Amino acid sequence: MTEIISYTVIAIGMMFNLFGCIGITRLPDVYNRIQAATKCVTMGTCLILLGLMIHAGVSPLGIKALLCILFILVTSPTSAHALARGAYKSGVKLWKKSCCDQYGAVSIITAYDVMKKDVITVSPDTPLQDAVDLLVEMRITGMPVVEQDGSIAGIISEKDMIDYASKSNIKTARVRDAMSTKATVFSPDTDIHIIAGVLSKGKFRRVPIAENGKLVGIVSRRDIMHILTSGKKKEAGKK
Amino acid sequence: MITFFYISLLLCCTLCMWRIGRGPTAPDRAMGIDILGIIVVGFCAVIALVTGKDFYMNIALAWSLLSFIGMIALAKHLEGKGFDE
């Protein structure tokens, strides 16, 4: 009786092994193959060992088979995960029909990781003279203009101020008169590559980051330079 | 019945070897070796079943251990790191 049971279990294990190996040969990319082979072959070999255990009963052979089952159950998925990660890091591409790449999506740097959160802002009704003083004092080249309720009215930079000063008197003016109202605003989850593309065009030196119309941060060329230098998400986020 | 076990295991080994030879990338070959190692453990189990000798299971345990360590080292190497990182 035990013989029939153990042989049946082993035969089922063999089927799993065979299907796993067919998976190795038939599936399109390394990640598919790893998952098919590891799942099926681990299951199949464990069943073979289980059949051996049933056959041998409580004996050195049976105990060793049990040990082997436990060991394979722990190590086989571990090595498969390590191998998949190694394959990904070494640059093996996914199959072209794969629908999503969540591991890759995690490593995208967003505007939120890079932006400065404590932004120096100015209200549109501030006298332009004060804004000029503030820029010079804080050693920055521009800042967002923010209404009382936190919404972005525009952006004012050295260039806007010099432009205005060349045409009229800044002593009597307010920020509203000089600022540029056509600020390009991004949301915090924008891929940093898009923002870098906009900044590299040369029109702006900084872009405000807003969520639901409220200003939450600012990304300047300097912030992008910080990711370029360290190449690490964490250090860039601290800045 | 035993013959069927041997034939299917040999078939599995052949398919793995085909993948190891075919590639096309290094992780493919590494994965083939990993799976081949596990199938060899199954092979040892069947031989132990036929002969009733328990030292074949010692071989199986040692083989799975070596295969695991080797695979972790290969994976780390593919990542471009040393074994102790």
Side-chain angles (χ1 to χ4, degrees):
Chain A
M1 187 60 196
T2 44
E3 187 142 313
I4 296 171
I5 297 175
S6 71
Y7 275 40
T8 316
V9 172
I10 294 179
I12 297 171
M14 291 293 173
M15 296 319 292
F16 270 98
N17 270 3
L18 263 182
F19 291 146
C21 287
I22 292 170
I24 290 184
T25 51
R26 298 284 301 155
L27 286 172
D29 75 353
V30 63
Y31 307 103
N32 285 325
R33 287 179 208 133
I34 286 177
Q35 74 93 16
T38 306
K39 273 197 286 195
C40 293
V41 174
T42 305
M43 176 79 181
T45 304
C46 283
L47 281 176
I48 294 173
L49 291 164
L50 185 70
L52 176 65
M53 211 178 86
I54 295 170
H55 189 269
V58 184
S59 67
L61 190 56
I63 301 300
K64 277 173 189 167
L66 179 65
L67 266 179
C68 223
I69 291 178
L70 293 176
F71 189 76
I72 286 182
L73 272 182
V74 174
T75 59
S76 173
T78 312
S79 63
H81 276 94
L83 200 56
R85 202 172 76 137
Y88 194 93
K89 292 267 174 77
S90 72
V92 177
K93 291 275 186 299
L94 271 68
W95 185 38
K96 57 181 183 302
K97 285 187 194 164
S98 301
C99 71
C100 54
D101 177 10
Q102 289 186 329
Y103 186 57
V106 170
S107 58
I108 288 179
I109 301 176
T110 62
Y112 185 82
D113 301 317
V114 180
M115 70 187 191
K116 270 198 205 72
K117 277 148 201 140
D118 46 340
V119 191
I120 301 162
T121 58
V122 69
S123 141
D125 298 320
T126 316
L128 189 56
Q129 184 66 63
D130 292 1
V132 172
D133 292 349
L134 187 62
L135 274 197
V136 173
E137 186 191 335
M138 303 306 287
R139 291 162 180 260
I140 51 178
T141 57
M143 53 191 166
V145 182
V146 174
E147 300 276 9
Q148 288 293 322
D149 60 353
S151 60
I152 298 171
I155 199 156
I156 187 154
S157 67
E158 282 176 338
K159 183 175 167 293
D160 299 322
M161 290 170 177
I162 295 167
D163 249 16
Y164 192 82
S166 66
K167 290 174 203 148
S168 37
N169 187 4
I170 63 164
K171 305 279 180 204
T172 55
R174 296 196 176 274
V175 170
R176 191 185 295 281
D177 308 322
M179 72 183 187
S180 50
T181 48
K182 285 179 285 181
T184 312
V185 182
F186 289 97
S187 80
D189 51 2
T190 316
D191 186 344
I192 200 66
H193 290 93
I194 297 170
I195 295 176
V198 170
L199 289 179
S200 73
K201 289 279 189 316
K203 277 188 115 179
F204 326 108
R205 298 171 70 89
R206 68 204 70 70
V207 287
I209 307 297
E211 199 165 25
N212 303 324
K214 309 269 162 137
L215 183 82
V216 289
I218 192 160
V219 173
S220 64
R221 287 184 182 175
R222 177 59 45 168
D223 298 324
I224 308 260
M225 287 305 283
H226 276 296
I227 6 170
L228 293 181
T229 50
S230 64
K232 285 177 199 149
K233 190 175 167 180
K234 244 183 204 164
E235 289 179 27
K238 269 187 218 158
K239 262 297 177 199
Chain B
M1 200 63 175
I2 298 292
T3 322
F4 162 72
F5 293 162
Y6 280 139
I7 290 172
S8 56
L9 277 173
L10 279 173
L11 193 57
C12 287
C13 287
T14 318
L15 292 174
C16 279
M17 299 238 193
W18 182 80
R19 178 50 72 194
I20 295 169
R22 178 79 193 277
T25 61
D28 277 304
R29 296 175 211 271
M31 184 262 312
I33 295 166
D34 187 27
I35 301 304
L36 193 61
I38 302 176
I39 287 170
V40 166
V41 171
F43 226 122
C44 288
V46 172
I47 296 175
L49 181 80
V50 174
T51 60
K53 294 202 170 80
D54 66 333
F55 71 81
Y56 284 108
M57 288 315 292
N58 298 354
I59 298 173
L61 272 170
W63 197 296
S64 58
L65 178 68
L66 279 178
S67 158
F68 172 60
I69 294 174
M71 218 33 64
I72 297 291
L74 263 178
K76 284 286 173 190
H77 172 70
L78 285 173
E79 253 180 75
K81 289 178 178 172
F83 191 35
D84 54 348
E85 281 173 75

